Amino acid sequence: PWGGAAAAGGGEGSMTRNRTAHRRPRKEEAAPLEPSPTLFPQRVMPEKVAFAKDLRAHPTAAEERLWQSLRRNALEGFRFRRQQVFAGFVLDFYCHTAALCVEVDGPVHDGSQEADALRDEGLRRRGVRTLRFNNEDVEVRLDEVLEIIAHACRLSVKHDAGRAGISGQRSP
């Protein structure tokens, strides 16, 4: 960053900084960005953060079982977060790389299909796909659930890579 002789106003050995080479682009110069779920700035209310922490501390049996299979990049290297606050919602599991939300619906979701559909649509508008499984699916058919999740992750990454004109490989 120090320009030396090439810096404006500097001679041999000058320690003046070349300000023009490292200045931030003006707003009108910035390249337009494509929509991405993580490019939406969000202010997270402290109550949502506290609620998410409480949900992480007290998971349902099905959520805990699924989390043990998703944590530490265990599913084909995809990183999941649990009880992630996103766009005002608390998502059971969220994979940023694949822009994928995984919900485990227990009895608390009985009768809330309309609200769930509105929530899923709000996430979809922000580029996030939602997969929903009930507790029984996770508890009885965990391998099938994991294969569905892995397939959705692979498709999302392949689709995004195709749009960018690169191979479907994820960066580490």
Side-chain angles (χ1 to χ4, degrees), residues 5 19 21 24 39 102 134 161:
R19 295 175 192 268
R24 289 186 189 154
L39 292 178
V102 178
N134 62 39

Side-chain angles (χ1 to χ4, degrees), residues 66 69-70 73-80 93-95 97-102 129-133 141-159 168 170:
L66 183 57
S69 297
L70 296 176
N73 305 344
L75 186 67
E76 299 184 14
F78 288 99
R79 180 173 187 257
F80 281 85
F93 303 98
Y94 175 67
C95 177
T97 303
L100 181 69
C101 166
V102 178
R129 291 183 50 203
T130 302
L131 294 178
R132 290 188 172 277
F133 302 97
R141 294 177 284 283
L142 181 61
D143 289 339
E144 293 174 36
V145 168
L146 291 171
E147 181 51 40
I148 292 168
I149 295 169
H151 182 70
C153 287
R154 288 189 304 264
L155 284 177
S156 293
V157 170
K158 185 177 180 182
H159 173 71
R170 293 185 307 280

